[in-house]
């Protein structure tokens, strides 16, 4: 009598009962094989422990079994499972893989506890069992999600503690050394430091996340955006909810940061993203102030600084653009500055087309920005009094912030009809910085980015187009 070989597939998820443990399933499968004269090789016992059965591709042992069944000839002709829902809880996976195994490999899937006849009625019963298994899986996921959503509404912790906290009795408790770093991150950011410089500072301190990773720029940004630090909890419900903002509820843990500071940090992050882009180059890494502002007319990619003193299309270097747009940086710089100077003095013709704007909303935005500056001035004074800043640093920073605050007060007091003149004022202010030989690269970039949305360089036409941030239109030259 020819020996018949069988494979065993065993799966148990974390929430299931002891009787479905891998050991219990294996004993039952081996007993069934012995009773039905089936031989099982040890290498063909496949176990997925602690893994859901909803998606086949997430189960490594299952996929290894399918790969083995596709061998010519297959090393087994039967796959034994404790129940059909061990094989798959998705009807689609169950139908696809069973059909493939039966037709292409000549391998049958047998449930040792659900005895079905190989006839039409057996097919109907098998389909019903598959549907019941999928219903159980979907219903279980819904119930778990409901329970987690209710816990989130009650402000109960459901995630690992963020940097600055640890968990005690299911409640976040501050870790004082980490909490001090979190507070200093907010203080430095609100005082004008960049995220990348703050990240370098934390790495110099040797600060590490709870998983042992350094606090890089991405993690510093996450800290600045995390409402946990103002006593709130944020939880994403999961699949199907990706496009919805995660619910935020009041937590029972102490806050590390004042809500006003958190809101001010959020406002600065939003402003930086609008002005310089969320993934802008870190301060200090920029080779020239035009890098990141000038784009290629052919592909739209950014022009990058190339040694010794040229700009060229970054995508061209990667073989993704047919035009290099190679241009001497001094030549392009002088052309742009000349055009800005002409626009600032109204010596060059261009059409001013202000974007429609609600004046009340504009006044509110200016008032909020002024309030933020006043808070910064107060924190600056506190930093000086506690010894964090020297007298010279305090005076320098105070002078810069006070000048901005005075400008905003003038804007708030100025009648609406007079504000069109401020467009030229902004160009003049930017030009002073851009022409200043003592100004640094990053300082010049930020001055230009305040007035320029982008510049487009077309080498073939010998033309650069300036697009101002306040919708002055396009200015070819």
């Amino acid at each position: 009598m020819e020996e018949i070989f069988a494979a065993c597939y065993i799966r148990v998820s974390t929430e299931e009962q002891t009787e479905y443990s891998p050991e219990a399933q294996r004993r039952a499968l081996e007993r069934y094989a012995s009773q039905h004269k089936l031989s099982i090789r040890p290498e063909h016992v496949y176990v997925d422990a602690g893994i859901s059965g909803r998606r086949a591709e997430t189960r490594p042992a299952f996929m290894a079994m399918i790969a083995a069944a596709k061998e010519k000839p297959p090393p087994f002709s039967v796959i034994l499972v404790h129940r059909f829902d061990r094989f798959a809880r998705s009807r689609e996976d169950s139908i696809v893989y069973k059909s493939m195994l039966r037709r292409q490999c000549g391998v049958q899937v047998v449930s040792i506890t659900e005895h079905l006849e190989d006839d039409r009625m057996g097919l109907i019963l098998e389909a019903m069992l598959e549907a019941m298994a999928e219903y159980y899986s979907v219903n279980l996921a819904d119930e778990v999600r409901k329970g987690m959503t209710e816990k989130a509404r009650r402000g109960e912790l459901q995630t690992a503690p963020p940097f600055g906290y640890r968990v005690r009795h299911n409640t976040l408790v501050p870790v004082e050394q980490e909490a001090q770093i979190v507070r200093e991150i907010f203080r430095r950011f609100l005082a004008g430091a960049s995220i990348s410089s703050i990240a370098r500072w934390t790495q110099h301190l040797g600060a590490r996340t709870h998983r042992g990773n350094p606090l890089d720029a991405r993690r510093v940004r996450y800290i600045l955006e995390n409402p946990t630090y103002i006593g709130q909890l944020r939880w994403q419900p999961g699949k199907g909810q990706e496009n919805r903002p995660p619910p935020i509820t009041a937590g029972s843990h102490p806050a590390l940061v004042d809500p006003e500071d958190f809101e001010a940090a959020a406002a600065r992050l939003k402003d930086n993203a609008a002005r310089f882009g969320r993934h802008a180059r870190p301060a200090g890494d920029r080779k020239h102030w035009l890098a990141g502002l000038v784009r290629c007319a052919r592909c739209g990619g950014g022009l990058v600084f190339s040694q010794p003193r040229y700009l060229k299309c970054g995508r061209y270097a990667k073989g993704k653009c047919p035009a290099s747009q190679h241009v001497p940086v001094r030549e392009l710089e002088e052309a742009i500055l000349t055009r800005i100077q002409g626009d600032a003095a109204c010596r060059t013709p261009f059409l001013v087309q202000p974007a429609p704007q609600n004046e009340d909303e504009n006044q509110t935005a200016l008032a909020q920005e002024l309030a933020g500056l006043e808070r910064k001035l107060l924190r600056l004074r506190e930093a000086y009094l506690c010894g964090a800043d020297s007298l010279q640093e305090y005076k320098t920073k105070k002078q810069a912030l006070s000048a901005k605050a005075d400008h905003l007060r003038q804007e708030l007091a100025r009648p609406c009809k007079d504000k069109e003149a401020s467009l030229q004022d902004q160009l003049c202010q930017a030009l002073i910085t851009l022409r200043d030989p003592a100004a640094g690269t990053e300082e010049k970039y930020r001055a230009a980015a305040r007035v320029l949305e982008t510049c487009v360089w077309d080498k073939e036409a010998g033309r650069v187009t300036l697009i101002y941030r306040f919708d002055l239109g396009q200015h070819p030259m």
Side-chain angles (χ1 to χ4, degrees), residues 353-369:
Q353 296 177 329
Q357 192 173 39
N358 184 298
E359 184 60 26
D360 291 338
E361 291 180 358
N362 188 43
Q363 292 289 100
T364 301
L366 289 173
Q368 290 176 346
E369 187 174 356

Side-chain angles (χ1 to χ4, degrees), residues 34 99 131 158 166 169 178 188 245 304 365 369 378 420 450:
S34 176
S99 177
Q158 300 189 86
R166 61 186 174 88
H169 306 306
E178 295 179 1
R188 286 175 177 248
V304 297
E369 187 174 356
L378 180 60
E420 289 183 5
R450 273 191 284 270

Side-chain angles (χ1 to χ4, degrees), residues 46-150:
Y46 302 91
V47 182
D48 280 318
I51 299 178
S52 169
R54 294 194 65 181
R55 295 174 57 201
E57 61 269 22
T58 62
R59 294 180 278 155
F62 180 88
M63 299 309 295
M65 178 181 67
I66 297 299
K70 290 181 178 180
E71 295 176 7
K72 300 296 183 183
F76 45 82
S77 57
V78 178
I79 295 175
L80 299 178
V81 294
H82 190 259
R83 286 172 47 172
F84 283 123
D85 63 3
R86 302 299 90 193
F87 184 81
R89 275 189 169 156
S90 161
R91 281 180 296 168
E92 181 180 357
D93 281 351
S94 183
I95 292 169
V96 168
Y97 285 104
K98 284 183 182 178
S99 177
M100 183 272 294
L101 289 168
R102 185 182 299 114
R103 295 180 182 179
Q104 298 181 20
C105 311
V107 175
Q108 298 290 329
V109 179
V110 175
S111 167
I112 66 171
T113 59
E114 297 159 326
H115 303 289
L116 302 176
E117 299 296 331
D118 192 13
D119 56 15
R120 295 177 182 178
M121 184 57 68
L123 290 174
I124 294 174
L125 290 174
E126 185 175 348
M128 291 176 62
L129 291 170
E130 291 168 353
M132 291 172 63
E134 184 168 23
Y135 169 79
Y136 170 81
S137 181
V138 172
N139 186 64
L140 178 63
D142 287 342
E143 292 302 318
V144 170
R145 192 174 295 113
K146 287 178 185 177
M148 295 181 75
T149 302
E150 183 57 33

Side-chain angles (χ1 to χ4, degrees), residues 263-284:
E263 291 175 7
R268 188 182 174 212
L269 286 170
K270 184 178 179 180
D271 181 64
N272 286 349
R275 290 186 177 188
F276 314 118
R278 184 177 176 89
H279 302 291
R281 181 185 294 271

Side-chain angles (χ1 to χ4, degrees), residues 318-376:
K318 298 177 182 178
K320 297 179 179 180
C321 179
S324 70
Q325 303 294 4
H326 197 263
V327 58
V329 67
R330 292 297 301 172
E331 180 181 318
L332 185 62
E333 178 183 29
E334 190 56 38
I336 291 173
L337 293 178
T338 300
R339 179 67 204 217
I340 293 176
Q341 185 171 350
D343 290 342
C346 293
R347 290 198 301 266
T348 51
F350 64 92
L351 179 64
V352 179
Q353 296 177 329
Q357 192 173 39
N358 184 298
E359 184 60 26
D360 291 338
E361 291 180 358
N362 188 43
Q363 292 289 100
T364 301
L366 289 173
Q368 290 176 346
E369 187 174 356
L370 177 60
L373 284 174
E374 290 173 343
R375 286 196 297 270
K376 287 182 181 180

